[in-house]
Amino acid sequence: MSNITIYDVAREAGVSMATVSRVVNGNPNVKPVTRKKVLDVIERLGYRPNAVARGLASKKTTTVGVIIPDISHVFYAELARGIEDIATMYKYNIILSNSDQTREREFHLINTMLGKQVDGLIFISENVTDTHVDEFKRARIPVVLASSIDKKHEIPSVTIDYRQATFDAITNFIGKGHKRIAMLKGPDTTAGISERKMEGYQDALKAANIPFDENLVISSEYAHEDGLEAFEELWKLDERPTAIFCASDELALACINAAYDHGVDVPNDIEVIGFNDTKLAKMIRPTLTTVVQPTYDIGAVAMRLLTKYMNNEEVEDDTIVLPHHIIFRGSTRDEK
Amino acid sequence: MSNITIYDVAREAGVSMATVSRVVNGNPNVKPVTRKKVLDVIERLGYRPNAVARGLASKKTTTVGVIIPDISHVFYAELARGIEDIATMYKYNIILSNSDQTREREFHLINTMLGKQVDGLIFISENVTDTHVDEFKRARIPVVLASSIDKKHEIPSVTIDYRQATFDAITNFIGKGHKRIAMLKGPDTTAGISERKMEGYQDALKAANIPFDENLVISSEYAHEDGLEAFEELWKLDERPTAIFCASDELALACINAAYDHGVDVPNDIEVIGFNDTKLAKMIRPTLTTVVQPTYDIGAVAMRLLTKYMNNEEVEDDTIVLPHHIIFRGSTRDEK
DNA sequence: TTGAAAGCGCTAACAG
DNA sequence: CTGTTAGCGCTTTCAA
């Protein structure tokens, strides 16, 4: 016994498929009596429209692709939640895949998602290269970058001002007299947000005439264990840092833990600022001073923007920059 | 200009659609020369098969639905990662949706996913009722529960032995002389894993002839703030607990933080054991003693099981119970 | 307000 | 080894 189709409903209700299709899709051009009749049959038969057939006929699947580095990282998980909530609101479903930031995976995923005829794509990656941009332009569907940017801003994106945010944090350190400020910058890429953060770091130092010391800058992934290693490296230095700026809360948390393990007091011996204000920030002691990136909102706004493109709505601004701020908690001292 | 189809490739290569279909699907019944010719045209035209059309014709979409309470919670995020990795391995994509454990959302999602013709479904929920079971049985696709169970074990599932795990943890506490052991049990449901944990708690007490005190048991969600509140409640008691067992690491972490805020020392004044061994456990100080539920593996095994059903492979066991253990870290004292 | 009919792009017999 | 031919279940003109 096969599934029940629109044809069965039509026959049973004594109308044509077209009419059934109309009532299912809420087309107003159906006489109320007819609508009721059809609705009853649908109810009775337990008819459920086949979205695949519908997708083939209408060329719309009401599903969007989401390519994300790693859903098991708090930051990305919160981003994803923002995306999914708005998607739900607009009746879209999400195909979610982890790329691990590998170019190969990324392109493979873009391809399979296009093959699955997603109506739009949200792409998240540290490194959006020209090749990515070409691929997105060739795709016949809208693409929005979330918490990611391409160098030339050719693809619509939702971010914060990473340079400025970092500049603010470093300047705060400088204002408290710090001269040796370490930077756990995140991955080494060529065109990502970690470059923007690096700019902010250097600009802040320059503005205060503090010489740049490359020993104080460490590249790594964003995970906890990377932070642990980085801290050890910094601790081997002859001139140790007195403040650390971290490109993620996980890294910052790792620094706090490593400090604790070394018997170093945070914030009195060393101050730490994180990035993202993930749930972690409030879940640790001392609580973490961190740059608030409205993670959930970035996801939500990115998805909202995508819906506008998908529905050919007017959009004023292709590159949305959300506000950021620093929230001061226990891992930094009060300003003098 | 419309997208390029299998028909275009066929015409261009001077073969039939069927032949193109064969080479695309790796059917061996194609002469190497023909295959090469077709492949070249595909390459040249940049042909990409339309998965929707394929899905309609073959009745297979190579996508599975995943209904999860909340992807922004570490535990579920790790579960999801396990699911997705194995899905990738078997060339499936995932439609991921958050249910927030609402019955309404859950049923709505089951419905839309069936409408989208997913080949299988992974369902995660604290509370799998008979109505859920009926729905799953009516679906014409395999369903696997991950870290979830239905009372009568009618639906295939992958879990650990929650009762035993809790029993072990409580028994450990008892072995160290604790008499007043609190339990943050998780949500109040009628048929979920938090009931199993509760059984373990009570059985352990009973085995040691320790009277049950309902004031020591607190129901809540699994989040950090819930734990904070629960701790306050416990702290108001005339006879405070000397040990706390928490149904999630977030709850345990909250207890540690609340204790810290009260100037109470963990583990010397009070011991804490968590559940799940999420990344959090190692990311806090003191590090967290916790019941190791192989979260990623549960997801992975559940997905693997689902692939077996989808491919009509032989499966020996419908309900898989993975091993658990307790990992002792800083939030508990050494055994005397 | 309704129905007929032509696809959407592909797979899957069935022939040859 | 290759081609022909039906569909898959639905949307969408176009007429009526």
Side-chain angles (χ1 to χ4, degrees), chain B residues 112-157:
Chain B
T112 69
M113 293 202 172
L114 293 179
K116 295 224 168 171
Q117 313 301 120
V118 295
D119 293 339
L121 189 62
I122 293 201
F123 189 76
I124 304 155
S125 175
E126 277 291 320
N127 207 11
V128 182
T129 66
D130 290 346
T131 325
H132 285 91
V133 174
D134 289 347
E135 193 78 4
F136 294 148
K137 283 182 177 165
R138 254 206 309 278
R140 306 143 114 76
I141 53 165
V143 177
V144 171
L145 304 178
S147 187
S148 315
I149 32 174
D150 61 300
K151 220 176 302 191
K152 301 175 196 151
H153 293 287
E154 296 179 87
I155 310 294
S157 65

Short mmCIF file of all heavy atoms in Angstrom, two decimals, chain B residues 112-157:
data_model
loop_
_atom_site.label_atom_id
_atom_site.label_comp_id
_atom_site.label_asym_id
_atom_site.label_seq_id
_atom_site.Cartn_x
_atom_site.Cartn_y
_atom_site.Cartn_z
N THR B 112 6.39 17.74 9.34
CA THR B 112 7.02 18.39 8.19
C THR B 112 8.17 17.54 7.67
O THR B 112 8.41 17.48 6.47
CB THR B 112 7.52 19.81 8.50
OG1 THR B 112 8.63 19.74 9.38
CG2 THR B 112 6.44 20.66 9.11
N MET B 113 8.85 16.86 8.56
CA MET B 113 9.96 16.03 8.08
C MET B 113 9.45 14.87 7.24
O MET B 113 10.02 14.53 6.21
CB MET B 113 10.79 15.55 9.24
CG MET B 113 11.50 16.72 9.91
SD MET B 113 12.92 16.24 10.84
CE MET B 113 13.59 17.86 11.24
N LEU B 114 8.38 14.25 7.69
CA LEU B 114 7.79 13.19 6.88
C LEU B 114 7.34 13.77 5.54
O LEU B 114 7.51 13.15 4.50
CB LEU B 114 6.62 12.55 7.62
CG LEU B 114 7.02 11.76 8.88
CD1 LEU B 114 5.79 11.18 9.57
CD2 LEU B 114 7.99 10.65 8.54
N GLY B 115 6.78 14.95 5.58
CA GLY B 115 6.38 15.60 4.34
C GLY B 115 7.56 15.82 3.41
O GLY B 115 7.45 15.67 2.20
N LYS B 116 8.69 16.12 3.98
CA LYS B 116 9.89 16.33 3.15
C LYS B 116 10.53 15.01 2.74
O LYS B 116 11.59 14.98 2.13
CB LYS B 116 10.89 17.21 3.90
CG LYS B 116 10.35 18.63 4.14
CD LYS B 116 11.34 19.73 3.87
CE LYS B 116 10.60 21.06 3.86
NZ LYS B 116 11.50 22.22 3.81
N GLN B 117 9.88 13.93 3.09
CA GLN B 117 10.31 12.60 2.65
C GLN B 117 11.69 12.21 3.13
O GLN B 117 12.46 11.59 2.38
CB GLN B 117 10.26 12.52 1.11
CG GLN B 117 9.03 13.06 0.46
CD GLN B 117 7.75 12.36 0.90
OE1 GLN B 117 6.86 12.98 1.43
NE2 GLN B 117 7.69 11.05 0.72
N VAL B 118 12.02 12.56 4.35
CA VAL B 118 13.30 12.09 4.88
C VAL B 118 13.32 10.57 4.87
O VAL B 118 12.28 9.93 4.99
CB VAL B 118 13.56 12.62 6.30
CG1 VAL B 118 13.71 14.13 6.31
CG2 VAL B 118 12.44 12.19 7.25
N ASP B 119 14.51 10.01 4.71
CA ASP B 119 14.62 8.55 4.65
C ASP B 119 14.62 7.91 6.04
O ASP B 119 14.51 6.69 6.16
CB ASP B 119 15.92 8.16 3.94
CG ASP B 119 15.90 8.56 2.48
OD1 ASP B 119 14.79 8.75 1.93
OD2 ASP B 119 16.98 8.69 1.88
N GLY B 120 14.81 8.74 7.04
CA GLY B 120 14.84 8.22 8.41
C GLY B 120 14.80 9.38 9.37
O GLY B 120 14.93 10.54 8.97
N LEU B 121 14.61 9.04 10.64
CA LEU B 121 14.45 10.11 11.62
C LEU B 121 15.19 9.76 12.90
O LEU B 121 15.10 8.64 13.39
CB LEU B 121 12.96 10.29 11.90
CG LEU B 121 12.52 11.48 12.74
CD1 LEU B 121 12.88 12.78 12.05
CD2 LEU B 121 11.01 11.40 12.96
N ILE B 122 15.91 10.73 13.42
CA ILE B 122 16.50 10.56 14.74
C ILE B 122 15.80 11.52 15.68
O ILE B 122 15.71 12.72 15.39
CB ILE B 122 18.02 10.82 14.71
CG1 ILE B 122 18.67 9.71 13.88
CG2 ILE B 122 18.58 10.86 16.13
CD1 ILE B 122 20.13 9.51 14.14
N PHE B 123 15.28 10.95 16.73
CA PHE B 123 14.45 11.75 17.63
C PHE B 123 15.06 11.77 19.02
O PHE B 123 15.47 10.74 19.55
CB PHE B 123 13.05 11.15 17.68
CG PHE B 123 12.05 12.01 18.40
CD1 PHE B 123 11.53 13.14 17.80
CD2 PHE B 123 11.64 11.68 19.68
CE1 PHE B 123 10.61 13.94 18.47
CE2 PHE B 123 10.71 12.47 20.35
CZ PHE B 123 10.20 13.61 19.74
N ILE B 124 15.13 12.97 19.58
CA ILE B 124 15.73 13.14 20.90
C ILE B 124 14.77 13.93 21.76
O ILE B 124 14.40 15.05 21.41
CB ILE B 124 17.06 13.91 20.78
CG1 ILE B 124 17.99 13.19 19.81
CG2 ILE B 124 17.70 14.08 22.16
CD1 ILE B 124 19.02 14.08 19.19
N SER B 125 14.34 13.33 22.86
CA SER B 125 13.43 14.03 23.75
C SER B 125 13.40 13.36 25.11
O SER B 125 13.52 12.15 25.22
CB SER B 125 12.03 14.05 23.14
OG SER B 125 11.12 14.61 24.05
N GLU B 126 13.22 14.17 26.11
CA GLU B 126 13.12 13.66 27.47
C GLU B 126 11.89 12.79 27.64
O GLU B 126 11.83 11.93 28.50
CB GLU B 126 12.97 14.84 28.44
CG GLU B 126 14.24 15.50 28.83
CD GLU B 126 15.09 14.61 29.71
OE1 GLU B 126 14.55 13.92 30.59
OE2 GLU B 126 16.30 14.60 29.50
N ASN B 127 10.90 13.09 26.85
CA ASN B 127 9.59 12.54 27.12
C ASN B 127 9.00 11.92 25.86
O ASN B 127 8.40 12.60 25.05
CB ASN B 127 8.69 13.68 27.62
CG ASN B 127 7.59 13.16 28.51
OD1 ASN B 127 7.60 12.01 28.93
ND2 ASN B 127 6.62 14.02 28.78
N VAL B 128 9.22 10.62 25.69
CA VAL B 128 8.68 9.94 24.52
C VAL B 128 7.42 9.20 24.93
O VAL B 128 7.47 8.13 25.53
CB VAL B 128 9.71 8.96 23.94
CG1 VAL B 128 9.16 8.29 22.70
CG2 VAL B 128 11.01 9.69 23.62
N THR B 129 6.29 9.79 24.62
CA THR B 129 5.01 9.24 25.07
C THR B 129 4.46 8.20 24.11
O THR B 129 5.01 7.97 23.03
CB THR B 129 3.97 10.37 25.18
OG1 THR B 129 3.72 10.86 23.86
CG2 THR B 129 4.49 11.50 26.03
N ASP B 130 3.37 7.59 24.50
CA ASP B 130 2.72 6.60 23.64
C ASP B 130 2.28 7.23 22.33
O ASP B 130 2.31 6.59 21.27
CB ASP B 130 1.52 5.99 24.36
CG ASP B 130 1.96 5.10 25.51
OD1 ASP B 130 3.16 4.76 25.58
OD2 ASP B 130 1.11 4.75 26.35
N THR B 131 1.85 8.47 22.41
CA THR B 131 1.43 9.16 21.19
C THR B 131 2.61 9.27 20.22
O THR B 131 2.46 9.09 19.02
CB THR B 131 0.93 10.57 21.52
OG1 THR B 131 0.26 10.54 22.78
CG2 THR B 131 0.01 11.07 20.44
N HIS B 132 3.76 9.57 20.77
CA HIS B 132 4.96 9.61 19.92
C HIS B 132 5.16 8.25 19.26
O HIS B 132 5.38 8.15 18.06
CB HIS B 132 6.21 9.90 20.77
CG HIS B 132 6.35 11.31 21.23
ND1 HIS B 132 5.84 11.77 22.42
CD2 HIS B 132 6.95 12.39 20.66
CE1 HIS B 132 6.14 13.04 22.57
NE2 HIS B 132 6.81 13.46 21.52
N VAL B 133 5.09 7.23 20.08
CA VAL B 133 5.33 5.89 19.57
C VAL B 133 4.36 5.55 18.44
O VAL B 133 4.76 5.01 17.41
CB VAL B 133 5.23 4.84 20.71
CG1 VAL B 133 5.33 3.43 20.16
CG2 VAL B 133 6.32 5.10 21.75
N ASP B 134 3.09 5.88 18.64
CA ASP B 134 2.10 5.62 17.59
C ASP B 134 2.50 6.32 16.31
O ASP B 134 2.45 5.74 15.22
CB ASP B 134 0.73 6.14 18.03
CG ASP B 134 0.15 5.28 19.14
OD1 ASP B 134 0.69 4.18 19.39
OD2 ASP B 134 -0.83 5.72 19.77
N GLU B 135 2.87 7.57 16.45
CA GLU B 135 3.26 8.37 15.29
C GLU B 135 4.45 7.72 14.56
O GLU B 135 4.46 7.62 13.34
CB GLU B 135 3.64 9.78 15.77
CG GLU B 135 3.75 10.81 14.68
CD GLU B 135 2.40 11.32 14.22
OE1 GLU B 135 1.37 10.91 14.81
OE2 GLU B 135 2.38 12.10 13.25
N PHE B 136 5.41 7.28 15.32
CA PHE B 136 6.59 6.67 14.72
C PHE B 136 6.25 5.37 14.02
O PHE B 136 6.81 5.04 12.97
CB PHE B 136 7.66 6.41 15.78
CG PHE B 136 8.22 7.68 16.39
CD1 PHE B 136 8.63 7.71 17.71
CD2 PHE B 136 8.32 8.84 15.63
CE1 PHE B 136 9.15 8.87 18.27
CE2 PHE B 136 8.83 10.02 16.18
CZ PHE B 136 9.24 10.03 17.50
N LYS B 137 5.33 4.65 14.61
CA LYS B 137 4.95 3.38 13.98
C LYS B 137 4.21 3.61 12.67
O LYS B 137 4.33 2.84 11.73
CB LYS B 137 4.06 2.58 14.93
CG LYS B 137 4.81 1.90 16.06
CD LYS B 137 3.83 1.12 16.88
CE LYS B 137 4.48 0.32 17.99
NZ LYS B 137 3.45 -0.12 18.95
N ARG B 138 3.43 4.66 12.65
CA ARG B 138 2.68 4.95 11.43
C ARG B 138 3.58 5.46 10.31
O ARG B 138 3.28 5.30 9.14
CB ARG B 138 1.61 6.01 11.73
CG ARG B 138 0.21 5.47 11.80
CD ARG B 138 -0.82 6.55 11.46
NE ARG B 138 -0.61 7.76 12.24
CZ ARG B 138 -1.05 7.93 13.49
NH1 ARG B 138 -1.71 6.97 14.09
NH2 ARG B 138 -0.83 9.07 14.13
N ALA B 139 4.67 6.13 10.71
CA ALA B 139 5.60 6.64 9.70
C ALA B 139 6.14 5.45 8.92
O ALA B 139 6.33 4.38 9.47
CB ALA B 139 6.74 7.40 10.37
N ARG B 140 6.38 5.65 7.64
CA ARG B 140 6.87 4.52 6.86
C ARG B 140 8.38 4.53 6.77
O ARG B 140 8.96 4.00 5.81
CB ARG B 140 6.27 4.57 5.47
CG ARG B 140 4.76 4.66 5.53
CD ARG B 140 4.28 5.55 4.42
NE ARG B 140 3.51 4.78 3.45
CZ ARG B 140 2.28 4.38 3.68
NH1 ARG B 140 1.69 4.66 4.81
NH2 ARG B 140 1.63 3.72 2.76
N ILE B 141 9.00 5.18 7.70
CA ILE B 141 10.46 5.23 7.69
C ILE B 141 10.97 4.85 9.07
O ILE B 141 10.25 4.96 10.05
CB ILE B 141 10.95 6.65 7.36
CG1 ILE B 141 10.31 7.66 8.31
CG2 ILE B 141 10.67 7.00 5.93
CD1 ILE B 141 10.98 9.00 8.31
N PRO B 142 12.20 4.39 9.12
CA PRO B 142 12.77 4.01 10.42
C PRO B 142 13.02 5.22 11.31
O PRO B 142 13.34 6.30 10.83
CB PRO B 142 14.09 3.33 10.04
CG PRO B 142 14.41 3.81 8.68
CD PRO B 142 13.10 4.07 8.00
N VAL B 143 12.84 5.02 12.60
CA VAL B 143 13.07 6.07 13.59
C VAL B 143 14.00 5.49 14.66
O VAL B 143 13.84 4.35 15.07
CB VAL B 143 11.75 6.49 14.25
CG1 VAL B 143 12.01 7.53 15.34
CG2 VAL B 143 10.78 7.03 13.21
N VAL B 144 14.96 6.26 15.07
CA VAL B 144 15.84 5.83 16.16
C VAL B 144 15.87 6.92 17.23
O VAL B 144 16.00 8.11 16.91
CB VAL B 144 17.28 5.56 15.64
CG1 VAL B 144 18.23 5.34 16.81
CG2 VAL B 144 17.30 4.37 14.70
N LEU B 145 15.74 6.52 18.46
CA LEU B 145 15.83 7.46 19.57
C LEU B 145 17.28 7.54 20.04
O LEU B 145 17.93 6.52 20.22
CB LEU B 145 14.96 6.99 20.74
CG LEU B 145 13.48 6.73 20.44
CD1 LEU B 145 12.77 6.21 21.69
CD2 LEU B 145 12.82 8.02 19.95
N ALA B 146 17.76 8.75 20.23
CA ALA B 146 19.13 8.91 20.72
C ALA B 146 19.10 9.55 22.10
O ALA B 146 18.49 10.60 22.28
CB ALA B 146 19.94 9.79 19.76
N SER B 147 19.72 8.88 23.03
CA SER B 147 19.72 9.37 24.41
C SER B 147 18.29 9.63 24.87
O SER B 147 18.02 10.60 25.57
CB SER B 147 20.55 10.65 24.52
OG SER B 147 20.68 11.03 25.86
N SER B 148 17.40 8.79 24.44
CA SER B 148 15.99 8.92 24.78
C SER B 148 15.37 7.52 24.76
O SER B 148 15.87 6.65 24.06
CB SER B 148 15.25 9.78 23.75
OG SER B 148 15.98 10.94 23.42
N ILE B 149 14.31 7.34 25.50
CA ILE B 149 13.65 6.04 25.49
C ILE B 149 12.14 6.17 25.61
O ILE B 149 11.63 7.09 26.22
CB ILE B 149 14.10 5.14 26.67
CG1 ILE B 149 14.43 6.01 27.88
CG2 ILE B 149 15.23 4.25 26.26
CD1 ILE B 149 14.74 5.21 29.11
N ASP B 150 11.46 5.23 25.01
CA ASP B 150 10.02 5.14 25.24
C ASP B 150 9.82 4.03 26.26
O ASP B 150 10.59 3.07 26.32
CB ASP B 150 9.29 4.82 23.94
CG ASP B 150 9.72 3.49 23.35
OD1 ASP B 150 10.93 3.35 23.05
OD2 ASP B 150 8.90 2.59 23.21
N LYS B 151 8.80 4.15 27.04
CA LYS B 151 8.62 3.29 28.20
C LYS B 151 8.70 1.80 27.84
O LYS B 151 9.36 1.03 28.49
CB LYS B 151 7.28 3.61 28.86
CG LYS B 151 7.36 3.59 30.38
CD LYS B 151 6.04 4.01 31.02
CE LYS B 151 5.57 5.37 30.59
NZ LYS B 151 4.46 5.90 31.37
N LYS B 152 8.02 1.44 26.75
CA LYS B 152 7.95 0.02 26.44
C LYS B 152 9.05 -0.46 25.50
O LYS B 152 9.01 -1.57 24.99
CB LYS B 152 6.59 -0.29 25.82
CG LYS B 152 5.41 0.06 26.73
CD LYS B 152 4.10 -0.17 25.99
CE LYS B 152 2.94 0.52 26.70
NZ LYS B 152 1.88 0.92 25.76
N HIS B 153 9.99 0.40 25.22
CA HIS B 153 11.08 0.03 24.31
C HIS B 153 10.57 -0.48 22.97
O HIS B 153 11.06 -1.49 22.46
CB HIS B 153 11.98 -1.02 24.96
CG HIS B 153 12.73 -0.50 26.13
ND1 HIS B 153 13.80 0.36 26.02
CD2 HIS B 153 12.55 -0.66 27.46
CE1 HIS B 153 14.25 0.68 27.23
NE2 HIS B 153 13.50 0.07 28.13
N GLU B 154 9.62 0.20 22.42
CA GLU B 154 9.09 -0.25 21.13
C GLU B 154 9.87 0.36 19.97
O GLU B 154 9.84 -0.14 18.86
CB GLU B 154 7.61 0.13 21.02
CG GLU B 154 6.75 -0.59 22.03
CD GLU B 154 5.30 -0.18 21.92
OE1 GLU B 154 4.58 -0.79 21.11
OE2 GLU B 154 4.87 0.76 22.63
N ILE B 155 10.53 1.47 20.25
CA ILE B 155 11.30 2.15 19.20
C ILE B 155 12.79 1.92 19.45
O ILE B 155 13.24 2.01 20.59
CB ILE B 155 11.01 3.67 19.23
CG1 ILE B 155 9.50 3.95 19.23
CG2 ILE B 155 11.68 4.37 18.06
CD1 ILE B 155 8.78 3.54 17.98
N PRO B 156 13.53 1.62 18.40
CA PRO B 156 14.97 1.41 18.55
C PRO B 156 15.62 2.62 19.23
O PRO B 156 15.25 3.75 18.94
CB PRO B 156 15.46 1.28 17.11
CG PRO B 156 14.28 0.82 16.34
CD PRO B 156 13.09 1.43 17.01
N SER B 157 16.58 2.36 20.08
CA SER B 157 17.18 3.48 20.80
C SER B 157 18.64 3.22 21.14
O SER B 157 19.09 2.07 21.19
CB SER B 157 16.41 3.75 22.08
OG SER B 157 16.54 2.64 22.95
#
